[in-house]
Amino acid sequence: MRSPEERKRRHRNERIVAAIVVLVAAALTAGLWLYSQRLDEEHEREATYIPTPTVVTPEVELVRQYIRFDTSNPPGNEMPAAQWLAGLIRAAGLEAEVIESAPGRGNVYARIEGKRDGSGLLLLHHIDVAPAREAEWSHPPFEGVIRLDHLYGRGALDMKSVGIVFLRAFLDVAASGRQPEHDLVFLAVADEEAGGTWGMKWLLEHRPHVVEGVRYALNEGGITEMSAERVTYYGIEVGSKIHTTVEVVAPARGQLQQARIALEPWFTPDPEPHRVLPEVRRFFRDIAPQRIQFREWLADIDGTIARGKFWRLPIGYRELTQNNVFVWQIEPRPEGDFRMAVTFLSLPDEEPAGRIEWLTEVIAPFGARIERVRNAAEPVPVSSANTPFYELLAREASAEFQAPAGTEFLSRSSSDSRFLRRRGIDAYGINPFAVDFFQSESIHAADERLRVAYFVRGLEFTRRLIRTWAFPA
């Protein structure tokens, strides 16, 4: 046995060693932090850190100016930006109409007439943007700052940059001095971020002439997949699930909590599909070659289901074959009772009335009821991937980005294309630019940004696409 003196000495030595370990760890942490800071400073000083030199073209500058209009929705206030867009069109010698759907809510419409009636092409984008919390941003969200070849700002991706690309392509056709084969329409709308009440929905109800003769539309919604700064798949959105939101009310919070628990089985996809739409089946086939783990299962989804393997697919794929439910937080009302919002994500051909009836039955045992339907979305057709314009779009995109181009089907997001599809217009969602995962994650989030070099390339691609469509050989 050790003596008391030996044990005391040993404990002292252990404390000394422990203190040294803590100091060394702290020194290493501080050293790594300082090294990281120095690297960041060097990256900012050295031009070699920038992937490509930043070229601020006139179109890049237009995007910056467009971003500087704060069109956050709510409240929207798109009118100043709408008047600015109309001024650019008029400066090019064309007529442009600013349509005010409500005080401060501006929409812009312009048209170039073609040689033939029908089969017109609509270039559509929305002026409003999602709100931005400036404190969360590295650069002010409404200044259009360019840093390390990235253009920062709310709307840099969603979707003021696309709007300028569409405007430039539209003005190109006008400047050519030639009459296009079919009508070409430019439309910038309000209120997309809040459901389209004062934008596309209002226009179709009160000014339907804006889509007269339109057969095809280009809008947001496409997804570019990338690896090592190279596009690996160019997705063209042809459809999405439809969203219906209702307000559920009960006298007590606990009643709504019980109703929410009863709905939980529908929060995540079932182990079996409800239905596989033909367009979803095609989407799975289109993307299958780009996948590793699920390639064979997606290429033959019917065989996957027959072999009992469907449940092993990621949730994102399974959701495209099923009806799901999202429940938002429970809140007190001034009336003294409580409410919660319930959103259905339904297959595009589902009738909302049936879904609302189903929900009514589920929540009734808990004393809850549906008091208001915020958005009774109607069934929406899926755009055809077998039209001449889709084939042209896929061919040109594949040639430009040296990657497969195919369909895309969205589950948790939608766009104004749903209003057009209900009127028989084949609307295709595209992203003209190569956008990597991290940039796409900035949509509706802090530091929304787009690589300037990617913007310039996407601009030229879209200009060629529209010229080819307008003036076929």
Side-chain angles (χ1 to χ4, degrees):
M1 292 183 61
R2 292 186 177 90
S3 67
E5 185 63 30
E6 289 175 325
R7 289 198 299 269
K8 187 176 181 180
R9 187 165 54 248
R10 181 187 176 194
H11 291 161
R12 184 177 64 250
N13 292 339
E14 288 175 347
R15 288 195 297 271
I16 292 172
V17 170
I20 292 172
V21 169
V22 170
L23 289 172
V24 169
L28 285 172
T29 300
L32 288 172
W33 182 83
L34 289 171
Y35 179 66
S36 175
Q37 291 294 104
R38 191 180 70 185
L39 283 180
D40 288 344
E41 293 171 1
E42 289 177 355
H43 289 161
E44 292 182 359
R45 288 197 303 268
E46 295 178 7
T48 54
Y49 178 65
I50 301 176
T52 55
T54 300
V55 179
V56 181
T57 66
E59 291 80 14
V60 172
E61 187 56 36
L62 285 177
V63 178
R64 299 180 72 193
Q65 292 178 33
Y66 199 2
I67 286 172
R68 289 167 187 154
F69 290 96
D70 184 350
T71 55
S72 299
N73 189 9
N77 190 33
E78 300 91 350
M79 184 56 71
Q83 292 171 335
W84 176 77
L85 287 170
L88 295 175
I89 297 171
R90 292 166 183 154
L94 300 174
E95 294 183 2
E97 183 180 6
V98 177
I99 303 172
E100 189 172 26
S101 52
R105 312 311 297 269
N107 304 269
V108 182
Y109 164 69
R111 182 184 292 255
I112 301 171
E113 292 188 2
K115 297 177 183 178
R116 306 180 188 180
D117 293 334
S119 295
L121 173 63
L122 169 66
L123 303 178
L124 170 67
H125 84 280
H126 60 86
I127 302 173
D128 62 320
V129 297
R133 296 186 181 90
E134 185 167 348
E136 300 174 356
W137 287 61
S138 301
H139 307 284
F142 298 106
E143 287 190 9
V145 172
I146 295 177
R147 187 69 168 171
L148 298 177
D149 199 47
H150 283 76
L151 172 59
Y152 287 80
R154 179 59 86 220
L157 281 171
D158 183 23
M159 64 175 303
K160 290 181 175 179
S161 57
V162 181
I164 295 302
V165 165
F166 285 170
L167 177 62
R168 179 71 268 168
F170 178 80
L171 296 180
D172 274 356
V173 172
S176 71
R178 303 164 60 190
Q179 188 175 19
E181 201 69 19
H182 303 281
D183 284 9
L184 183 62
V185 178
F186 176 84
L187 189 61
V189 300
D191 203 34
E192 190 276 343
E193 297 289 1
T197 300
W198 304 111
M200 181 55 72
K201 184 179 180 181
W202 188 94
L203 290 169
L204 293 178
E205 291 174 356
H206 297 88
R207 305 293 294 273
H209 70 281
V210 300
V211 296
E212 183 178 350
V214 170
R215 176 70 181 83
Y216 308 110
L218 281 181
N219 190 20
E220 63 181 338
I223 297 175
T224 55
E225 298 183 8
M226 297 187 69
S227 176
E229 298 195 1
R230 184 178 65 85
V231 175
T232 57
Y233 182 76
Y234 190 89
I236 301 168
E237 185 260 334
V238 296
S240 66
K241 294 173 74 172
I242 56 175
H243 299 196
T244 300
T245 300
V246 301
E247 191 170 283
V248 176
V249 176
R253 180 185 295 272
Q255 291 172 285
L256 287 184
Q257 288 172 335
Q258 289 178 310
R260 184 186 187 282
I261 292 171
L263 291 169
E264 284 183 358
W266 290 273
F267 289 1
T268 56
D270 293 338
E272 298 297 332
H274 298 165
R275 286 183 294 122
V276 182
L277 300 178
E279 296 83 5
V280 171
R281 184 178 290 107
R282 172 166 178 165
F283 168 54
F284 288 159
R285 286 201 309 268
D286 286 350
I287 63 170
Q290 317 310 316
R291 302 298 182 258
I292 298 175
Q293 185 175 358
F294 308 107
R295 181 177 300 161
E296 295 181 2
W297 295 351
L298 291 170
D300 179 18
I301 190 64
D302 296 308
T304 299
I305 294 168
R307 292 190 296 273
K309 301 292 186 182
F310 175 82
W311 65 273
R312 300 183 66 179
L313 288 173
I315 287 177
Y317 296 135
R318 286 154 46 207
E319 282 185 344
L320 295 177
T321 69
Q322 299 170 341
N323 297 320
N324 311 110
V325 173
F326 282 92
V327 177
W328 309 102
Q329 71 182 62
I330 298 171
E331 299 175 330
R333 297 203 309 171
E335 294 85 347
D337 53 8
F338 292 82
R339 67 184 170 194
M340 70 178 181
V342 177
T343 298
F344 302 114
L345 270 64
S346 307
L347 296 176
D349 56 355
E350 292 275 351
E351 287 285 352
R355 304 286 287 145
I356 292 172
E357 182 180 352
W358 167 83
L359 176 64
T360 301
E361 295 176 358
V362 172
I363 65 176
F366 310 102
R369 70 185 189 280
I370 296 174
E371 183 165 287
R372 185 163 68 100
V373 178
R374 296 184 187 175
N375 172 32
E378 301 173 7
V380 180
V382 178
S383 297
S384 173
N386 297 311
T387 66
F389 184 76
Y390 174 89
E391 292 170 358
L392 169 65
L393 174 57
R395 185 170 62 250
E396 292 294 321
S398 182
E400 169 63 30
F401 295 103
Q402 295 296 294
T407 58
E408 195 81 39
F409 205 95
L410 304 179
S411 174
R412 299 194 178 187
S413 60
S414 62
S415 70
D416 282 339
S417 292
R418 65 188 186 278
F419 300 115
L420 300 172
R421 289 169 179 148
R422 290 185 192 126
R423 297 180 70 93
I425 295 172
D426 281 311
Y428 302 111
I430 67 167
N431 195 330
F433 325 114
V435 176
D436 64 30
F437 172 80
F438 299 102
Q439 292 166 1
S440 66
E441 286 289 285
S442 70
I443 295 174
H444 286 200
D447 286 345
E448 182 178 347
R449 60 198 181 277
L450 170 66
R451 281 268 292 271
V452 174
Y454 291 173
F455 169 82
V456 172
R457 182 181 182 184
L459 169 69
E460 296 308 314
F461 155 64
T462 308
R463 295 172 75 178
R464 287 194 300 271
L465 169 69
I466 301 306
R467 283 198 301 266
T468 302
W469 173 85
F471 310 117

